[in-house]
Amino acid sequence: QVQLVESGGGSVQPGGSLRLSCAASGYTFSNYCMGWFRQAPGKEREGVAAICAGGVTYYAGSVKGRFTSSRDNAKNTLSLQMNSLKPEDTAMYYCAADSTNGDGGYWYLPRRYNYWGQGTQVTVSS
């Protein structure tokens, strides 16, 4: 059974940092895309970052330069380092994995991912 479990969310002041982790079990995703999504109340789920085959990374424009995604294939884990956090980064963050495709095309579309974690809340507020 495939499971994705996120951790590392919390509350932080604007300008602060958080590191999210996603532990995958039941499947090896090293050759496929794994991504981070977020969803704020009343808004659609949006792609934040992804790592696909070959370690190629993708970022949404709103987080580029502030967020860094990395993957440890040996441990089957995905991480998201978030720096210079802003109030608009407040959302539930989800880890997602695509077990069928390692190409980065449409990495930001939720529908291409077939496994999801339960989410971890990130709140940025003064």
Side-chain angles (χ1 to χ4, degrees):
Q1 182 179 357
V2 177
Q3 278 193 313
L4 301 176
V5 180
E6 302 99 334
S7 60
S11 295
V12 65
Q13 292 187 338
S17 298
L18 282 174
R19 185 176 181 88
L20 305 184
S21 295
C22 172
S25 60
Y27 199 89
T28 300
F29 292 100
S30 57
N31 293 322
Y32 301 99
C33 286
M34 293 187 74
W36 290 100
F37 287 77
R38 66 186 180 187
Q39 188 167 19
K43 295 190 176 181
E44 292 188 354
R45 190 168 296 192
E46 64 171 349
V48 175
I51 294 184
C52 298
V56 181
T57 55
Y58 303 86
Y59 297 96
S62 59
V63 306
K64 208 165 190 178
R66 300 188 297 122
F67 291 11
T68 303
S69 187
S70 59
R71 178 160 67 182
D72 186 331
N73 289 331
K75 296 182 179 179
N76 218 18
T77 59
L78 180 72
S79 297
L80 184 69
Q81 178 65 41
M82 305 186 295
N83 299 328
S84 302
L85 283 161
K86 304 176 181 180
E88 51 264 43
D89 294 318
T90 295
M92 184 71 78
Y93 282 70
Y94 299 89
C95 172
D98 179 350
S99 65
T100 64
N101 187 357
D103 187 88
Y106 300 104
W107 67 267
Y108 49 87
L109 290 181
R111 65 174 182 264
R112 72 160 284 176
Y113 296 86
N114 52 337
Y115 293 105
W116 291 85
Q118 82 288 350
T120 185
Q121 178 68 36
V122 171
T123 302
V124 185
S125 174
S126 55

